Amino acid sequence: MTTTGRQQGRTALVTGGSRGIGRAVSRRLAREGALVAVHYGHDAAAAERTVKEIETDGGRAFAVRAELGVPGDAATLWSAFDRELAAYDAGAGPGLDILVNNAGITLPRPIEQVTEEDYDHIFAVNTKAPFFILQRGISRLRDGGRIISVSSAATRVAYPAIVAYSMTKAALEHLTLSLALQLAPRSITVNTVAPGFTETEINPTLRNPQIRQALSAASVFNRLGAPADIADVIAFVASDDARWVTGQWLDATGGVHLGL
């Protein structure tokens, strides 16, 4: 089966789309023909690099800047999206077909070490921001659209060392269920994709060889996931091939913890 052109004529927004899993998703959707808005918060160079990579591959993309986790972040993001989309293609209109909630931060601390400031910040970025981005984005989504949120396997297995992070992702998963039911009459699917241990910058512990080996061994394939592994799953959920899949939690962990 070829996937070339299956997103032709569609517009996608990938939050946190300039690095890691988001970068891989942006590149994959663009390769399938979508016009991709690559969102970033601070690293303009990374966003422009991702856009250039997409263009070099023959795709179309533009960067959108909005810091998440601060007051008014959703309004800022959509204003930037409208402005940059109009500048890129005046005839494109303000509509959207695919929204990937990927942006997030981690907090590798057990409950005893989490401050109120830590807690408020991680929930602001990982939970509050996507909630209000979706609140303002639902009316922009065209019928038949796709919403995909990136969660974590940590919501299904106890990881006390990242308890606050896991809680933020669990909240997103319930949002998926609610929106899947609400938006079904418009043929909009809403799903969650949950990576496991993946080779990204969000996990600085991977620099430790012993930790790296242990996390690799958690997968039945005895390796860390690559961003492209996750992007391929998200691309499927974003396609018409997944039109009959909604309200689901898709395990994209490489079989982490299948055995004892």
Side-chain angles (χ1 to χ4, degrees), residues 71 94 120:
D120 289 344

Side-chain angles (χ1 to χ4, degrees), residues 105-111 113-115 118-123 126-127 154-155 159-171:
I105 59 174
T106 189
L107 185 63
R109 297 178 189 172
I111 189 169
Q113 297 175 15
V114 176
T115 67
D118 292 333
Y119 183 95
D120 289 344
H121 183 55
I122 196 169
F123 268 85
N126 291 6
T127 307
T155 65
Y159 286 111
I162 53 171
V163 58
Y165 170 82
S166 302
M167 289 171 64
T168 66
K169 294 299 187 178

Side-chain angles (χ1 to χ4, degrees), residues 9-11 92-97 138 140-145 186 188:
R10 294 177 177 173
T11 302
L96 185 69
D97 301 285
I138 286 172
R140 297 163 181 270
L141 273 170
R142 299 183 180 99
D143 290 355
R186 296 177 53 197
I188 294 173

Side-chain angles (χ1 to χ4, degrees), residues 7-28:
Q7 299 292 1
Q8 200 68 43
R10 294 177 177 173
T11 302
L13 168 63
V14 182
T15 67
S18 65
R19 297 188 298 174
I21 291 171
R23 171 176 169 267
V25 172
S26 296
R27 295 189 67 181
R28 176 60 192 264

Side-chain angles (χ1 to χ4, degrees), residues 105-190:
I105 59 174
T106 189
L107 185 63
R109 297 178 189 172
I111 189 169
E112 296 87 353
Q113 297 175 15
V114 176
T115 67
E116 288 191 35
E117 291 78 11
D118 292 333
Y119 183 95
D120 289 344
H121 183 55
I122 196 169
F123 268 85
V125 175
N126 291 6
T127 307
K128 183 178 179 180
F131 181 95
F132 286 101
I133 288 168
L134 284 168
Q135 182 192 71
R136 291 172 174 266
I138 286 172
S139 62
R140 297 163 181 270
L141 273 170
R142 299 183 180 99
D143 290 355
R146 301 285 185 264
I147 297 172
I148 303 115
S149 291
V150 177
S151 183
S152 170
T155 65
R156 293 297 190 273
V157 181
Y159 286 111
I162 53 171
V163 58
Y165 170 82
S166 302
M167 289 171 64
T168 66
K169 294 299 187 178
L172 271 186
E173 291 172 11
H174 184 81
L175 182 59
T176 288
L177 290 176
S178 294
L179 289 182
L181 182 60
Q182 178 181 338
L183 300 178
R186 296 177 53 197
S187 297
I188 294 173
T189 67
V190 190

